[in-house]
Amino acid sequence: MHIITSKTLESRRRFLRTLAASGAFYSVSGLLAEALTLTPRQTQGPFYPLAKNIPLDKDNDLVLLDDHLTPAKGIVTYVSGRILDSKGEPIRDALVELWHTDAGGQYIFAADAPRNPKADPNFAGFGQFLTGSDGTYQFRTVKAGLYRGRTRHYHFGVTIPGQKSRFTTQLYWNEIARDEAGNVWGTTNENDGVLRGVRDPAERAAIIRDFTPVPDGAAGEQQTIFDIALGLTPIEPPYPGAEDGVLVVAGAPTGNGPGGKPRFKLTFPAQAGYSYEVYADPTLGKLGWAALPFAISAAEKVDRNIHTATAEGGLELFVEKPSVKGFYHVAFRVPGANLGTPGEMRDGPGGPGGRPPRGPGGPGGPGGPPPGFGGDAPPPPPQ
């Protein structure tokens, strides 16, 4: 079990400071140093968490969940990069989602429970980030565990301004996967059915990354840079009536909430059918913002991280975390946009985001994972 120490916390702070100070992700490097290779689209998979599985604390730190004092088990891993358009230009306000198995190979997905009871109770299992002006995202998580039928991987979803559905891909380790006993895992990068589906060598190389030790980090911590280049053009819709089309709202102190913690009220004009999220620290600029849970009245507990307005008019949201200089970024999703639900699963077996087809390599098929592979609930029936 990974235990939080002062060195662990300091390495986390050092990592963030390094990003801000060095400009490591803001220079032309990696994908931009040569001809840009677009990131291949890959299946969302059957275990994107349901709305009831997504934690209230859905920020970009998957190691610490809510107010738990115990961190998730496993090797702490940092994944950072940029979201780029087809010309290699950074995309601002791109919603980046990350989900994957815990150290033991369990997803938090559960069809008949708030979350998979076999998953590490201290592992968030899902996180999201909103990119800043340089398209940068960052996550702190753990090294994904292995489960039958797949090599080690992370799932990424990206929804850019003007697009209503997420672009999905996966990230792989440049390694020979081994189990806890040191034995070579049955499914490697060479025979993983999903990864083998990427035929173009350059595209394949773009989603297999080296993970290296974090300089001066706690023992075992790893990091990598994963730029996601999309063949899409963002069309950022301005928010009606907002200055520069962006909702940056001052938080007004309103005393303590039901849990005894100080609260800050955000007030802005709502649009019917729009869905809203709150992000802290917009003044951090290039580094983007972390998602915050909130309440929709001063008397209620903080119980949600997204809210859809049913009518136009003034909307008040209440948060507990203070933000730099007292301002918050309120992100909005237009009607019909990705709301953090596995909508692409309707494409059916083998389709984009659908569960793998039965047969070789599929759930229950020869050489493939059993139904409900990874110990999760069984895959949903065909749509």
Side-chain angles (χ1 to χ4, degrees):
M1 176 181 296
H2 183 89
I3 303 297
I4 289 183
T5 64
S6 59
K7 188 171 184 180
T8 304
L9 296 175
E10 177 55 30
S11 69
R12 181 186 182 191
R13 299 187 189 102
R14 185 184 302 111
F15 177 80
L16 299 179
R17 288 198 301 268
T18 300
L19 286 179
S22 69
F25 302 132
Y26 311 140
S27 60
V28 178
S29 61
L31 290 174
L32 299 183
E34 303 173 1
L36 184 70
T37 298
L38 297 181
T39 303
R41 184 189 295 270
Q42 292 204 287
T43 176
Q44 174 180 275
F47 297 128
Y48 179 96
L50 302 176
K52 64 181 178 181
N53 307 146
I54 293 176
L56 182 64
D57 175 22
K58 63 173 184 178
D59 62 13
N60 59 327
D61 188 350
L62 282 66
V63 176
L64 291 176
L65 177 61
D66 298 325
D67 294 327
H68 296 197
L69 298 178
T70 302
K73 299 176 182 178
I75 298 173
V76 173
T77 306
Y78 298 90
V79 182
S80 303
R82 290 182 299 173
I83 307 302
L84 308 171
D85 64 17
S86 58
K87 297 180 180 179
E89 297 295 329
I91 299 177
R92 177 179 179 175
D93 286 340
L95 173 66
V96 187
E97 300 168 294
L98 171 67
W99 69 100
H100 62 88
T101 60
D102 64 13
Q106 300 285 336
Y107 287 96
I108 63 169
F109 172 92
D112 55 0
R115 76 181 260 140
N116 175 16
K118 295 182 180 180
D120 180 350
N122 297 307
F123 176 57
F126 174 92
Q128 71 180 54
F129 195 83
L130 197 68
T131 60
S133 59
D134 278 345
T136 303
Y137 74 85
Q138 54 192 15
F139 288 98
R140 186 175 83 129
T141 186
V142 298
K143 189 171 184 177
L146 295 164
Y147 59 87
R148 186 182 171 196
R150 291 302 313 275
T151 190
R152 199 184 310 277
H153 63 284
Y154 285 145
H155 295 265
F156 277 86
V158 181
T159 307
I160 67 172
Q163 296 286 328
K164 292 188 176 182
S165 60
R166 67 174 65 84
F167 171 97
T168 59
T169 191
Q170 297 183 29
L171 169 63
Y172 301 85
W173 274 251
N174 185 18
E175 66 169 13
I176 298 176
R178 297 179 182 273
D179 61 20
E180 293 182 356
N183 301 314
V184 175
W185 190 247
T187 305
T188 66
N189 290 355
E190 298 305 316
N191 61 14
D192 181 274
V194 178
L195 182 53
R196 285 180 62 188
V198 181
R199 305 296 186 184
D200 183 271
E203 291 185 353
R204 182 183 174 91
I207 55 176
I208 301 176
R209 312 306 298 166
D210 289 323
F211 285 74
T212 59
V214 175
D216 300 321
E221 291 188 338
Q222 298 183 358
Q223 64 180 358
T224 195
I225 298 175
F226 179 46
D227 287 346
I228 301 176
L230 310 177
L232 302 171
T233 301
I235 304 174
E236 191 159 6
Y239 192 76
E243 183 177 354
D244 297 327
V246 178
L247 280 176
V248 176
V249 181
T254 58
N256 295 341
K261 295 182 179 180
R263 286 200 168 179
F264 303 88
K265 180 175 67 174
L266 317 181
T267 305
F268 56 92
Q271 300 293 322
Y274 280 52
S275 298
Y276 300 93
E277 295 171 303
V278 178
Y279 289 79
D281 299 348
T283 51
L284 289 181
K286 294 179 179 179
L287 291 184
W289 310 287
L292 295 181
F294 54 85
I296 58 171
S297 80
E300 296 182 23
K301 66 177 182 179
V302 171
D303 64 352
R304 66 194 66 200
N305 45 42
I306 189 167
H307 175 73
T308 301
T310 58
E312 295 186 7
L315 180 63
E316 296 180 345
L317 305 179
F318 297 81
V319 299
E320 292 180 343
K321 182 178 178 179
S323 187
V324 171
K325 297 184 179 179
F327 288 89
Y328 299 81
H329 177 63
V330 178
F332 60 92
R333 306 193 198 184
V334 298
N338 161 28
L339 293 182
T341 56
E344 284 84 349
M345 294 179 71
R346 65 179 178 273
D347 292 334
R355 62 180 175 84
R358 293 189 181 276
F373 59 93
D376 298 302
Q383 298 295 312

